[in-house]
Amino acid sequence: MNAHSCHANHPTLHPFLNLVRKKRINDIAMPLLLSDLPPEVLFQILLSVPPATIPTLQQVCRKFNSLSQPLLWRHHCQTQFTYWSPEHDINAKYAQNTAEVDWKQLFRTRHLADRAISHELRGILASQTGRIERAQRILTHGYDAKDTLLRHLGVGDDADDVLARRYYSDAVLGAVHRTRAIEEWVKLREGQPVSLERALAAFDQFVLHERKGDFEEVSKMELSISAHLDNIAQSIRLQHAEISEASPQKKAELIASYLLSQKLTGVEEDSQYHNLQNSFIGLALQSNGRAALPLISVAIFCAVSKKLGLHAEPCGFPFHIYAIVMAPESQGVDGRLVQDGSARQQLYLDPFRSNKIVEKSDLEAQLKAMGIASIEHEAHLSVASTVDMVRRTARNIVAAIQNTRHVYDVSTSVETIFPESDGALYSALWALLVLPEESAPRLAGARYLPYMLDNVEKQFSMDVSLIERYAIPLFQGSHHQEQLRNTIRVMRRGDLMPKTIKPRDRESSQSVRFKVGQVFRHKRYSYQGVITGWDVECAAGETWMSQMGVDRLSRGRHQSFYHVLVEDKSVRYVAEENIDDALLHVGTSLMSLAGRHFKRWDENSKMFISNIRDEYPDD
């Protein structure tokens, strides 16, 4: 086999053919054999071709088999995959001698997982039946699924099923993110060590989607929350070379000053203090302006301080979090040596507002003004637990949602609040469920169950396995446990039940005017929606019809009624006489939600193309 014949079968080798030259034997020009190429060139060929073609190339030319296989497959593991489940311990593997790891088998494991995940996703897109089961099988791959899901999420606009593929890839990816976040909080509950910044970063996973800001990313470290903090610490070292020799107080002042100057702590003066994004540490680190409540500001300060050799912890002060900076046991906060046996010195700082030291006496005066007894002061001025900081963050998120109005752009129907409130509230509910108040944990957690189940049923159906794994065991032996089991049982049964087919060739269906996929504006309430199903006449119960005044409509109950997905994410049941289909523009919000039921938008027909034909075959 010569280089030219190999090129005929493998066009990807074209960049290397300029290395092929003629050789002469007895004055007769002969083509250079592929096996005559130096090992370095052959190795570059294997690095450049798709990994799936390597076995074929190795059959074409045996010399490929003599090249360093561990180095080759290590390269493909590193370049083809960014995200790895923790059980791979991939960073440790990268640090090992290349020959000590079976990189080819590791690549094969990931390649097979990629194929299995893509297969399950195609099944989710193909039928409404069994979606929860298929999503659960994807979740068994853990973080190994993220690369595959991101690839499908990034499908081009010209894909036949672009909206559905993006929607369900994002839905399952969200469940992957949430699984990892909840695992961190479960570790906290069980007393395992979890850093403050990591415990708070778990909230970001609920609103992450395809954006950057993961816990950690192996191949692109500059994109992770952990790497953001590392980069901040390194920048401080470069700007303040003297910091390594500075006293604890001076270090604290330098760090706080730097964070404020780079807009990494505090809140912008012209912004709302309770803006939802101010409670997310990942968003604060990536924001172009100040977007960190006192708790988040202190968490960033403490994380960076530890990377610079300064021991700092959050203080459990009411209503406003301060940082406690602790000097080493043999040193005072001013850097001077102290006598053995002396009490460990510490100081207080408010990195949210400034780099100035806060006197303990001032904090005690504030506590007294709040009516808190002196005997309780020390508890409020001591180090707060990471669990308590997670709870307080959850309560901050709930308060922000309650105090913030959702603002919509009338022309596009886009919710301008960021991050989206549904994912944010869901994160708070999970945190308070997994880490309830210690005085009555089961009772405290039960308070959030109705809201939790409502969210799962309406928006996070892919999380059924998370409820089974993490929520149900919390209520062992109580009626709440049975309530959870019944809800999940109903959801699973509905997921596996084939849909009732509603064809249009029946005489009764001829009166149904509008089709699945049509976009309209409600004549009375002016909201924009898309039709996702229909009934020949109102199929709701008598109680609902009475409450909604159905019989007072001009055409009453004996007109077609339509199941509708609305731009605000709600699902409604609309009488035909209230539908105005003279709509020329579809809002971005509705377009992003439509993938739940539709493949794509068709500009010619001005309709969404149905992805639920197993139920409405003629629409």
Side-chain angles (χ1 to χ4, degrees):
M1 177 68 68
N2 59 48
H4 294 293
S5 60
C6 180
H7 170 242
N9 293 323
H10 302 282
T12 52
L13 302 184
H14 177 73
F16 300 97
L17 290 181
N18 63 335
L19 298 169
V20 178
R21 50 189 172 77
K22 300 289 184 178
K23 61 179 179 179
R24 302 184 67 84
I25 301 177
N26 296 328
D27 292 328
I28 299 175
M30 298 290 290
L32 179 67
L33 297 177
L34 187 59
S35 58
D36 291 334
L37 293 174
E40 294 82 1
V41 174
L42 293 174
F43 190 72
Q44 287 301 316
I45 292 174
L46 293 187
L47 292 181
S48 302
V49 300
T53 67
I54 291 175
T56 304
L57 284 175
Q58 290 174 327
Q59 292 177 352
V60 168
C61 179
R62 294 179 181 175
K63 194 171 181 181
F64 279 122
N65 292 304
S66 64
L67 302 176
S68 174
Q69 297 297 311
L71 194 61
L72 170 67
W73 291 107
R74 181 185 188 276
H75 167 82
H76 284 305
C77 281
Q78 200 161 18
T79 56
Q80 297 291 316
F81 305 109
T82 300
Y83 303 93
W84 296 79
S85 288
E87 58 265 23
H88 292 299
D89 198 9
I90 194 65
N91 283 327
K93 284 184 170 66
Y94 284 141
Q96 286 180 253
N97 186 294
T98 303
E100 294 176 354
V101 178
D102 190 345
W103 290 104
K104 185 175 182 180
Q105 179 57 41
L106 187 58
F107 181 88
R108 183 174 183 274
T109 299
R110 288 298 307 270
H111 176 68
L112 292 175
D114 180 89
R115 291 177 58 182
I117 294 161
S118 294
H119 171 75
E120 298 295 353
L121 185 60
R122 285 193 295 271
I124 289 173
L125 298 175
S127 172
Q128 296 183 79
T129 304
R131 282 174 171 166
I132 291 175
E133 292 294 321
R134 290 184 179 277
Q136 187 168 341
R137 287 196 286 272
I138 292 176
L139 292 178
T140 62
H141 294 280
Y143 240 56
D144 286 356
K146 183 166 180 174
D147 283 305
T148 308
L149 294 169
L150 281 174
R151 189 177 72 248
H152 287 282
L153 187 53
V155 66
D157 292 339
D158 58 347
D160 179 66
D161 58 359
V162 54
L163 295 180
R165 189 169 295 272
R166 287 176 179 172
Y167 179 89
Y168 284 104
S169 297
D170 181 66
V172 182
L173 178 61
V176 171
H177 287 149
R178 292 188 290 271
T179 299
R180 198 166 187 193
I182 294 167
E183 286 172 350
E184 294 299 316
W185 291 334
V186 170
K187 289 178 185 176
L188 264 183
R189 189 185 68 210
E190 295 176 347
Q192 298 181 45
V194 178
S195 68
L196 175 61
E197 63 272 19
R198 192 174 181 87
L200 297 182
F203 288 99
D204 287 83
Q205 308 312 299
F206 283 76
V207 297
L208 187 59
H209 301 285
E210 79 281 9
R211 293 188 294 271
K212 306 304 178 185
D214 215 322
F215 283 124
E216 55 200 350
E217 299 176 10
V218 175
S219 298
K220 300 178 181 178
M221 290 299 293
E222 74 277 8
L223 304 176
S224 69
I225 289 176
S226 175
H228 271 298
L229 295 168
D230 286 334
N231 291 341
I232 293 168
Q234 181 60 20
S235 296
I236 294 175
R237 288 191 191 95
L238 293 174
Q239 191 171 116
H240 299 284
E242 75 280 9
I243 195 168
S244 61
E245 303 299 327
S247 68
Q249 179 173 336
K250 185 62 176 178
K251 281 184 180 180
E253 291 172 342
L254 288 173
I255 294 168
S257 178
Y258 179 87
L259 295 176
L260 285 166
S261 70
Q262 298 301 308
K263 299 185 176 182
L264 292 164
T265 53
V267 172
E268 296 290 352
E269 292 183 3
D270 59 349
S271 70
Q272 293 281 340
Y273 178 86
H274 285 293
N275 273 354
L276 190 52
Q277 71 179 64
N278 296 345
S279 290
F280 291 84
I281 189 171
L283 298 181
L285 290 170
Q286 297 179 67
S287 175
N288 292 324
R290 295 184 176 91
L293 287 180
L295 192 156
I296 300 299
S297 296
V298 167
I300 293 172
F301 172 81
C302 292
V304 173
S305 294
K306 288 178 183 178
K307 292 177 183 297
L308 293 169
L310 181 66
H311 187 185
E313 301 283 355
C315 166
F317 198 81
F319 307 114
H320 189 95
I321 303 296
Y322 293 86
I324 305 176
V325 175
M326 302 177 185
E329 292 184 358
S330 60
Q331 191 181 45
V333 292
D334 58 1
R336 298 178 182 178
L337 294 177
V338 296
Q339 295 181 348
D340 293 340
S342 300
R344 192 172 183 181
Q345 293 188 16
Q346 61 185 38
L347 55 83
Y348 294 87
L349 200 74
D350 182 9
F352 174 79
R353 293 192 179 104
S354 75
N355 69 335
K356 303 300 182 183
I357 303 305
V358 178
E359 297 297 332
K360 185 177 181 179
S361 57
D362 291 339
L363 296 178
E364 289 173 331
Q366 291 184 47
L367 291 173
K368 185 177 181 180
M370 294 178 196
I372 297 175
S374 300
I375 195 172
E376 299 177 13
H377 286 190
E378 196 58 37
H380 293 295
L381 295 174
S382 300
V383 173
S385 70
T386 300
V387 170
D388 187 46
M389 292 298 98
V390 171
R391 292 189 192 119
R392 290 180 72 156
T393 299
R395 289 195 290 268
N396 285 342
I397 289 172
V398 172
I401 293 172
Q402 291 174 338
N403 294 329
T404 304
R405 289 191 309 165
H406 291 200
V407 180
Y408 291 90
D409 183 321
V410 176
S411 64
T412 60
S413 300
V414 177
E415 188 180 6
T416 59
I417 192 170
F418 179 79
E420 77 277 10
S421 56
D422 295 321
L425 177 60
Y426 194 48
S427 72
L429 291 174
W430 265 109
L432 294 170
L433 185 71
V434 176
L435 298 168
E437 299 295 339
E438 296 175 356
S439 56
R442 182 178 292 185
L443 181 62
R447 292 167 50 199
Y448 307 107
L449 276 184
Y451 308 102
M452 173 75 73
L453 292 177
D454 184 63
N455 273 269
V456 172
E457 290 182 78
K458 291 181 178 178
Q459 299 190 61
F460 302 102
S461 61
M462 303 302 181
D463 286 10
V464 162
S465 60
L466 299 185
I467 295 291
E468 292 172 328
R469 183 177 178 184
Y470 298 113
I472 290 178
L474 295 176
F475 300 96
Q476 187 70 36
S478 72
H479 72 279
H480 299 297
Q481 185 179 55
E482 192 57 33
Q483 177 190 5
L484 283 167
R485 283 178 173 162
N486 286 336
T487 300
I488 298 306
R489 193 179 298 120
V490 169
M491 290 185 67
R492 284 196 178 279
R493 190 181 298 125
D495 177 59
L496 296 174
M497 187 179 298
K499 302 298 180 182
T500 301
I501 299 174
K502 293 187 175 182
R504 283 185 176 264
D505 57 2
R506 297 172 182 170
E507 184 177 350
S508 60
S509 303
Q510 302 304 309
S511 63
V512 180
R513 176 184 173 190
F514 300 111
K515 288 188 173 184
V516 169
Q518 282 189 261
V519 180
F520 70 94
R521 190 167 294 284
H522 196 281
K523 289 182 179 179
R524 183 176 180 183
Y525 299 115
S526 298
Y527 62 73
Q528 188 179 99
V530 57
I531 295 171
T532 62
W534 47 259
D535 294 311
V536 174
E537 59 182 31
C538 187
E542 288 293 334
T543 301
W544 185 88
M545 285 193 282
S546 175
Q547 290 175 341
M548 296 295 109
V550 170
D551 291 327
R552 294 195 298 272
L553 295 171
S554 62
R555 292 169 57 190
R557 66 176 66 187
H558 300 298
Q559 62 176 308
S560 298
F561 271 71
Y562 298 86
H563 301 278
V564 171
L565 177 65
V566 181
E567 57 192 338
D568 64 359
K569 299 184 180 181
S570 65
V571 176
R572 308 191 189 186
Y573 199 42
V574 181
E576 188 171 270
E577 67 181 69
N578 283 327
I579 289 180
D580 177 6
D581 63 337
L583 188 67
L584 301 178
H585 175 75
V586 179
T588 307
S589 179
L590 191 60
M591 191 71 75
S592 66
L593 297 171
R596 183 173 182 177
H597 304 280
F598 304 102
K599 290 184 176 182
R600 66 184 185 280
W601 169 257
D602 183 71
E603 187 61 31
N604 294 323
S605 64
K606 301 294 182 183
M607 288 180 60
F608 286 105
I609 304 302
S610 175
N611 195 37
I612 51 176
R613 294 191 186 278
D614 52 345
E615 187 174 1
Y616 298 93
D618 301 321
D619 282 58

